[in-house]
Amino acid sequence: MRSGDRRELILTAATIVFGDLGYSGATTDRIAKAAGVSQPYVVRIFGTKEKLFLEVLQHALDTLLGRFREVITESTDRAALPGELRRAYVDLLTDRGMLLCLMHAFVLGGDPEIGRVARAGFLEVYRVLRDDAGFDPGQAGEFLSGCMLINTLAGLHMTEELDTNPLANELLTTAMPRTKGA
């Protein structure tokens, strides 16, 4: 396997492990095992767990922003744009761990390096919503609140409650509406 492919393999594994365990709970050893490589190889490629997390964070931000820009460019109905962006956000849940890595990074706002990158990324998401999507500050804030709710539900594995708890169904439906303009 080429080193670039191994690097991507490690980033994918790291996204899952960081998403599942958070920054503090993840170890380079656990990430290496998930990627099927040695722990020293992970350290040789990325240096530190922090540098690896920062690459995962940047990849997640780039993916999210790229998807939002794509939806904004392709949208033909500005009234439907909030719903289209929310559906694009929910679709990113299939990239296991990605949105949860963003949430973990936002929680680490006090960390000098991770916090700096997380704040800049969050502000860029806000800027894209405000300037590119044309949301006013209230709409952008409401949209981001809904996304944070989706992240929280994903982190709680709320879908495990769907068969037994009607409140879970109601909350998930509220967070992830299927209507055109939601």
Side-chain angles (χ1 to χ4, degrees):
M1 182 182 292
R2 294 184 355 228
S3 67
D5 293 337
R6 268 191 237 130
R7 181 181 183 76
E8 287 302 313
L9 183 69
I10 294 167
L11 283 171
T12 299
T15 300
I16 293 167
V17 173
F18 283 130
D20 287 346
L21 303 176
Y23 179 74
S24 297
T27 63
T28 54
D29 186 55
R30 189 131 186 193
I31 291 165
K33 285 180 181 160
V37 299
S38 71
Q39 189 270 350
Y41 185 77
V42 171
V43 173
R44 183 164 40 110
I45 297 296
F46 293 96
T48 65
K49 180 173 88 167
E50 179 182 64
K51 287 179 182 175
L52 175 56
F53 185 76
L54 287 168
E55 286 210 34
V56 167
L57 171 57
Q58 193 59 60
H59 176 73
L61 287 166
D62 291 346
T63 300
L64 175 64
L65 288 163
R67 185 65 186 116
F68 278 4
R69 287 180 180 118
E70 182 181 301
V71 169
I72 292 165
T73 299
E74 293 174 358
S75 181
T76 57
D77 181 358
R78 286 297 175 194
L81 186 56
E84 293 168 355
L85 287 169
R86 178 145 334 165
R87 278 187 295 284
Y89 190 83
V90 169
D91 288 346
L92 291 173
L93 287 170
T94 60
D95 188 348
R96 186 164 163 232
M98 191 195 83
L99 295 180
L100 293 177
C101 282
L102 288 174
M103 185 169 66
H104 290 301
F106 299 153
V107 170
L108 292 168
D111 180 273
E113 188 60 22
I114 296 170
R116 181 185 62 75
V117 174
R119 283 189 298 278
F122 196 84
L123 287 172
E124 180 61 11
V125 171
Y126 177 75
R127 191 206 61 72
V128 165
L129 293 171
R130 194 195 66 200
D131 296 348
D132 300 352
F135 290 6
D136 66 39
Q139 290 171 310
E142 184 178 323
F143 181 83
L144 290 170
S145 296
C147 291
M148 289 298 110
L149 176 57
I150 291 165
N151 274 16
T152 300
L153 297 174
L156 289 169
H157 299 267
M158 193 60 75
T159 55
E160 295 173 12
E161 299 291 322
L162 290 177
D163 292 333
T164 60
N165 192 329
L167 286 175
N169 281 305
E170 181 180 298
L171 189 54
L172 282 165
T173 300
T174 301
M176 298 180 250
R178 299 193 189 283
T179 59
K180 182 178 181 186

